[in-house]
Amino acid sequence: MADKVLIYSRFPKTMMARFAERFELLDTGGKPAREVFSADEVGGIRAMLTAGGSPLGAEAMDLFPKLGAIVCYGTGYDGVDLKAAAARNIAVGHSPGANAASVADIAMTLMLATTRRILVADQYVRSGDWAGSKQSPMMRPQAGMPGRRIGVYGMGEIGRKIAARCAAFESEVGYFSRSKYDLPYQYFPTLEALADWCSVLMIAVRAGAETQHVVNAGILKRLGADGYVVNISRGSVIDEKALVAALSDKTIAGAGLDVFEKEPHAPDALTALPNVVFAPHIGGHTLESHVAMQNCVLANLGAFFAGQGLPYAVKTA
Amino acid sequence: MADKVLIYSRFPKTMMARFAERFELLDTGGKPAREVFSADEVGGIRAMLTAGGSPLGAEAMDLFPKLGAIVCYGTGYDGVDLKAAAARNIAVGHSPGANAASVADIAMTLMLATTRRILVADQYVRSGDWAGSKQSPMMRPQAGMPGRRIGVYGMGEIGRKIAARCAAFESEVGYFSRSKYDLPYQYFPTLEALADWCSVLMIAVRAGAETQHVVNAGILKRLGADGYVVNISRGSVIDEKALVAALSDKTIAGAGLDVFEKEPHAPDALTALPNVVFAPHIGGHTLESHVAMQNCVLANLGAFFAGQGLPYAVKTA
């Protein structure tokens, strides 16, 4: 009989297909497990698959008395209460680095699309305004990449890939993270100093309680009127209200956002703005990164049911 | 008295400001010079500034009996009949490389925006479809950059910068150009072979009579159903009708276009397509590249009026 895995978050069925070949999946479709499955079934659950951003605290864990493994699909695990899991002897796994290139690439896509005003450009051609030689203030020449100062906040796998890509664009790269690394980029000891220096802030930090609203009105003001912010980490890192204000009153020039405070909702005040490029949290959403993330999930679940430690366990400091 | 320079093409006044400080500009606004200026003024013209893509043949040159220098704003000079100019002892100058990074960057922007479906993504968030969990077939996972085969057609300054940027995205890079260079990219001896190999064709070739419609239905078919074409060179290099057909019947997956056959017009059949990202020929359109191109123009005009050869002369083979 196949080992059972509870699907805790809502995932498209196509993403679950490979898991269904090896495990019996109990798919909640994102609903409370007790609504969908019998008490017996829920009581027997030993492993679950979740989206790292889905809240999963002590109370939720206690609904599954035999739970031994929480496996996150993707890199993030900010929704999981790691202390509560450790206290219950529940292993937590994720897919470190599996989607790093894909996420770094969406960061680059959003930066380039925003700074080169590609939405406005596309509309200018499609509408016939170009053919009609209509003036478009949004199409004025903008600063380009060579010599541009790009500040990367967070120097994990995604941050490093963003930095390497920006360097190829002949930009200057600086970064702030808790640790200084042996990397060919300028290190800034505070986020404030980085924001003062750079004109594009790329948020690639691992999100958590300590990064909540760290990019606030003060940081945005330091970026300045020709400044941009790009967020591919988690929506919680930016104070979204302060961002709407800064974009509306031209405190900064624009933003590229793949993540939001309350997904899948983006505030109307934000989505009405012309100087932002939006994506619906598709950073890790490429064919190869899904395969790589699924490989990590399969390895974690396989090891767990074989009584071994998770090969891609979340490292708790 | 300041030397006089005829402004032959239509340019925004802001782009001419630095030239007006040193020369007396006779601005045609793109109209025939005889309509705007007296026969005396036209007869005395020794130097003109033109957009390299504007048609400028023998007949047009003969309207200016004293013409000694044609200076193109930008890298291109495909509109200028070089043989006719040489026969009349008219020097032709341009701005080689001044906008190479800016053009390479728009190529990257268009490639990323097209392959990651950023227009659809932005609209999916703005429309509320994401919040409403509506299905969007266009938002299915796509192939990403790592391991992707990018074919660069043309290995001049722009092609090299495109190749270097793509390599930083962990893509495989191949190229076709008349010559094989000592570069760390796979060389293909024909455009056909490159199109068979790659999934994204980046057109960075210097346009001319011999490149007219070289990217035709056959080449597009070789790219295949997961293939993309990005053009930042000149519209004439692609058979635009064949491109519309290939995009409409899914022979290829998408396109990113900064240039068109008859600018500023883009055919309605093209602009109606969802799987294309358009830009209104803004490749060289950054603040730094304008400054760099203007530096070349000023150097060319200054040298000409000082009786010297053009420092940035078009190299005729």
Side-chain angles (χ1 to χ4, degrees), chain A residues 60-120:
Chain A
M61 294 175 197
D62 287 339
L63 298 175
F64 307 94
K66 291 196 178 162
L67 190 63
I70 294 171
V71 176
C72 301
Y73 189 109
T75 305
Y77 47 79
D78 48 306
V80 181
D81 184 336
L82 296 179
K83 280 187 188 164
R88 284 155 185 78
N89 211 20
I90 299 170
V92 182
H94 65 144
S95 320
N99 66 7
S102 176
V103 175
D105 292 351
I106 206 77
M108 298 302 293
T109 307
L110 289 171
M111 175 174 60
L112 291 166
T114 306
T115 58
R116 292 299 285 266
R117 308 255 169 112
I118 207 72
L119 297 178
V120 179

Side-chain angles (χ1 to χ4, degrees), chain A:
Chain A
M1 214 175 68
D3 293 313
K4 292 180 186 180
V5 176
L6 186 88
I7 310 299
Y8 188 75
S9 305
R10 190 178 164 180
F11 289 106
K13 289 232 181 310
T14 50
M15 280 166 60
M16 299 294 108
R18 285 178 65 200
F19 309 141
E21 292 171 11
R22 262 182 71 182
F23 303 102
E24 184 185 339
L25 304 184
L26 305 181
D27 195 340
T28 64
K31 292 179 191 159
R34 291 258 184 109
E35 285 182 20
V36 186
F37 299 106
S38 70
D40 259 18
E41 281 176 309
V42 170
I45 291 296
R46 295 178 56 215
M48 62 164 63
L49 183 67
T50 182
S54 300
L56 185 52
E59 267 185 75
M61 294 175 197
D62 287 339
L63 298 175
F64 307 94
K66 291 196 178 162
L67 190 63
I70 294 171
V71 176
C72 301
Y73 189 109
T75 305
Y77 47 79
D78 48 306
V80 181
D81 184 336
L82 296 179
K83 280 187 188 164
R88 284 155 185 78
N89 211 20
I90 299 170
V92 182
H94 65 144
S95 320
N99 66 7
S102 176
V103 175
D105 292 351
I106 206 77
M108 298 302 293
T109 307
L110 289 171
M111 175 174 60
L112 291 166
T114 306
T115 58
R116 292 299 285 266
R117 308 255 169 112
I118 207 72
L119 297 178
V120 179
D122 180 84
Q123 196 49 39
Y124 189 61
V125 175
R126 285 184 196 268
S127 67
D129 283 356
W130 187 37
S133 299
K134 283 201 192 165
Q135 296 295 314
S136 169
M138 283 282 282
M139 291 310 310
R140 284 194 203 116
Q142 303 296 319
M145 293 293 288
R148 184 164 231 155
R149 290 175 168 181
I150 313 282
V152 183
Y153 172 28
M155 244 325 142
E157 291 197 65
I158 293 170
R160 283 163 203 238
K161 285 181 185 286
I162 290 173
R165 283 151 174 72
C166 289
F169 281 82
E170 307 168 44
S171 301
E172 286 186 60
V173 180
Y175 71 103
F176 161 65
S177 70
R178 281 176 305 184
S179 308
K180 184 180 172 180
Y181 300 100
D182 183 20
L183 290 168
Y185 316 117
Q186 191 176 347
Y187 176 72
F188 291 83
T190 64
L191 183 58
E192 285 74 11
L194 184 70
D196 281 339
W197 174 81
C198 73
S199 78
V200 179
L201 182 64
M202 305 286 261
I203 302 177
V205 71
R206 181 171 288 288
E210 72 283 2
T211 60
Q212 173 86 12
H213 286 197
V214 160
V215 176
N216 55 24
I219 295 292
L220 295 171
K221 194 171 178 190
R222 285 169 191 268
L223 287 177
D226 61 351
Y228 293 84
V229 62
V230 172
N231 191 8
I232 49 77
S233 162
R234 293 288 186 203
S236 62
V237 180
I238 301 185
D239 179 341
E240 217 164 61
K241 277 188 189 163
L243 178 63
V244 169
L247 288 164
S248 304
D249 67 13
K250 308 280 169 75
T251 298
I252 64 171
L257 303 172
D258 188 43
V259 291
F260 305 87
E261 284 206 52
K262 289 180 185 169
E263 296 178 9
H265 297 276
D268 291 346
L270 187 57
T271 55
L273 294 168
N275 49 342
V276 187
V277 179
F278 297 101
H281 204 149
I282 54 171
H285 199 53
T286 60
L287 293 171
E288 311 87 61
S289 73
H290 277 301
V291 169
M293 290 189 285
Q294 287 162 9
N295 290 345
C296 291
V297 168
L298 287 170
N300 274 331
L301 288 173
F304 170 72
F305 285 115
Q308 300 158 7
L310 305 191
Y312 302 104
V314 168
K315 285 186 185 73
T316 45

